[in-house]
Amino acid sequence: MTLIATSEKSQDGVRRISLLGATGSIGRSTVDLIRRNRERFEVVALTANRNATALAALAREFEAEFAVVADPGAYSALHDCLADTAIETASGQEALNEAATIEADLIVAGIVGAAGLDSTLAAVRQGTLVALANKESLVCAGDLLLAEIERSGSRLLPLDSEHNAIFQVFENENAADVARLVLTASGGPFRTWSLADMAKATPDQAVAHPNWDMGRKVSVDSATMMNKGLELIEAAYLFPVAAADIDVLVHPQSVVHSMVAYVDGSVLAQLGPPDMRVPIAHALAWPARMQSGVAQLDLAAIGTLDFKTPDDVRFPAVRIARDALTEGKGATVILNAANEIAVEGFLCGRIGFLEIAAIVQNVLEQVQGFEITSLEDFRSLDYESRRITKTLVKTAS
Ligand SMILES: NC(=O)c1ccc[n+]([C@@H]2O[C@H](COP(=O)([O-])OP(=O)(O)OC[C@H]3O[C@@H](n4cnc5c(N)ncnc54)[C@H](OP(=O)(O)O)[C@@H]3O)[C@@H](O)[C@H]2O)c1
């Protein structure tokens, strides 16, 4: 079964949009696109975690109806900033879910981590079209989301550049003739580093991505290549292709964003500059197109496009994620929780770079998984996995 949108008709008029995670990297790219295409969009709800000042400025600029901070500690700042407006303000998880379910044509799910799951699920239950950047929702609760989409008629438009690329070249009418999906990966900032150098890598080096400007967590995921592991899981939910038929190729130029290989030997790829505004513009305007402000691709200037299979020794995360997907029984929940805590531990200087993947592997071996059939199942396995990971991070050398 495919979760992605297949037959939405072009909509006339203004598209009402709610933006979850408005102050983040995905949020800022989305805001830039809305500014450039002001006549096409109306902003309904905006959310952030703690950045009340930036959120309030956006809410004021776009005359949003509702602004929400997840962290109740940031509420008074948000309220004070918007006290002279008619914009409703709130805080907490329930308010986030409300922002995701207030009537809109499209929800952009741009929160980072499993923290985005509840609001993504709320939007999907409502039957709304969801432009999904928050891959962790699918990694943690793909089956639940799939069941809710089936029930509500909601649809997902992938925002991750790789999945958006596949979405653009995946022939739904010939789905049975798809032989393989190929997810491309930049290889991150440590693509050519030795293991010895990677062991000494600092957080600043890990977040300095050569091609993409992203939030800190996804930048570290990109450096370990866990991002590609999470994307492999995401792709297995989004497209009707078996996990064993999804490959990963390192492509340092980040120009070919992913590919679909058909049984006749044809390979269809989507190309574009490494700028998230391209896939986000595709989703915001879908099924039409719109200006993104991104310069046209200059292939002659780029000259060469390279492709290599990933190095499993220096970057074991892709294999670890693939194994978790094959294992089932909640293993991808354990993987995600362990990764979020280990990345945080690395960013705070508590563990070394190579320990991220090692700890994730260790947690997968220690925690007993089970089938996730409800949000409560997810919460309990997520909690236990985080608890064990925190202990490992604390006791790491
Ligand atoms: N950045 C990219 O280019 C890119 C590309 C592909 C996919 N993605 C995916 O998109 C998602 C967002 O990534 P990002 O790079 O945009 O992250 P980011 O820059 O860190 O932004 C995260 C957003 O989520 C909010 N947030 C953080 N923790 C939250 C919580 N506990 N509850 C509610 N809101 C919370 C943040 O609010 P504050 O500002 O208040 O902290 C911010 O608005 C991730 O799943 C990532 O894997 C990102």
Side-chain angles (χ1 to χ4, degrees), residues 42-380:
E42 191 181 319
V43 175
V44 183
L46 294 166
T47 81
N49 187 24
R50 297 197 184 100
N51 195 345
T53 316
L55 182 69
L58 290 172
R60 196 179 276 277
E61 175 184 353
F62 293 107
E63 297 173 3
E65 294 169 21
F66 194 32
V68 174
V69 277
D71 182 350
Y75 178 69
S76 64
L78 178 68
H79 178 264
D80 292 353
C81 286
L82 294 174
D84 62 332
T85 71
I87 300 165
E88 199 184 326
T89 54
S91 70
Q93 185 60 55
E94 237 173 78
L96 268 189
N97 293 353
E98 207 183 320
T101 50
I102 201 169
E103 198 191 327
D105 299 312
L106 178 75
I107 307 290
V108 176
I111 292 175
V112 61
L117 172 58
D118 279 53
S119 49
T120 303
L121 200 56
V124 157
R125 282 187 174 138
Q126 185 85 355
T128 317
L129 186 63
V130 176
L132 185 77
N134 180 246
K135 66 194 85 181
E136 294 91 344
S137 287
L138 278 173
V139 171
C140 292
D143 290 328
L144 284 184
L145 277 168
L146 190 135
E148 290 294 345
I149 284 167
E150 179 93 326
R151 200 189 49 73
S152 70
S154 165
R155 285 155 181 209
L156 298 182
L157 293 172
L159 283 196
D160 242 326
S161 58
E162 297 77 1
H163 306 75
N164 181 271
I166 292 170
F167 178 48
Q168 293 199 40
V169 296
F170 194 99
E171 297 173 356
N172 283 298
E173 64 284 13
N174 295 319
D177 293 322
V178 169
R180 309 193 74 74
L181 302 183
V182 182
L183 295 172
T184 53
S186 67
F190 306 144
R191 180 176 56 86
T192 57
W193 285 34
S194 69
L195 263 179
D197 287 341
M198 287 167 76
K200 292 180 275 179
T202 66
D204 282 349
Q205 289 169 322
V207 300
H209 197 282
N211 303 344
W212 298 96
D213 180 13
M214 307 185 287
R216 284 167 74 77
K217 190 264 181 184
V218 64
S219 295
V220 176
D221 285 349
S222 188
T224 58
M225 287 192 72
M226 181 58 84
N227 188 44
K228 218 43 59 180
L230 300 177
E231 286 178 6
L232 173 69
I233 299 166
E234 182 184 10
Y237 279 111
L238 285 172
F239 304 102
V241 174
D245 295 330
I246 306 176
D247 299 329
V248 171
L249 268 188
V250 174
H251 166 49
Q253 292 85 7
S254 297
V255 165
V256 175
H257 295 300
S258 277
M259 301 176 248
V260 179
Y262 292 87
V263 290
D264 61 5
S266 296
V267 179
L268 302 192
Q270 184 261 355
L271 282 68
D275 186 321
M276 281 307 292
R277 289 178 300 172
V278 176
I280 298 173
H282 177 261
L284 294 190
W286 184 86
R289 299 270 178 180
M290 69 182 203
Q291 294 286 343
S292 67
V294 177
Q296 290 293 314
L297 192 61
D298 184 348
L299 282 174
I302 293 164
T304 307
L305 298 179
D306 301 298
F307 300 92
K308 273 199 175 120
T309 49
D311 177 346
D312 180 53
V313 176
R314 289 182 304 129
F315 300 101
V318 180
R319 176 186 41 77
I320 295 171
R322 192 187 282 283
D323 289 349
L325 178 60
T326 310
E327 168 79 12
K329 300 198 289 296
T332 59
V333 173
I334 304 170
L335 172 94
N336 181 72
N339 183 57
E340 285 191 23
I341 299 296
V343 168
E344 211 175 277
F346 168 69
L347 285 171
C348 297
R350 292 200 192 98
I351 60 171
F353 180 75
L354 294 179
E355 283 170 290
I356 300 173
I359 285 178
V360 171
Q361 176 77 70
N362 194 339
V363 177
L364 278 160
E365 284 158 16
Q366 285 195 42
V367 177
Q368 183 68 45
F370 50 82
E371 289 310 331
I372 304 297
T373 58
S374 67
L375 213 42
E376 289 64 41
D377 285 346
F378 157 73
R379 287 201 184 104
S380 111

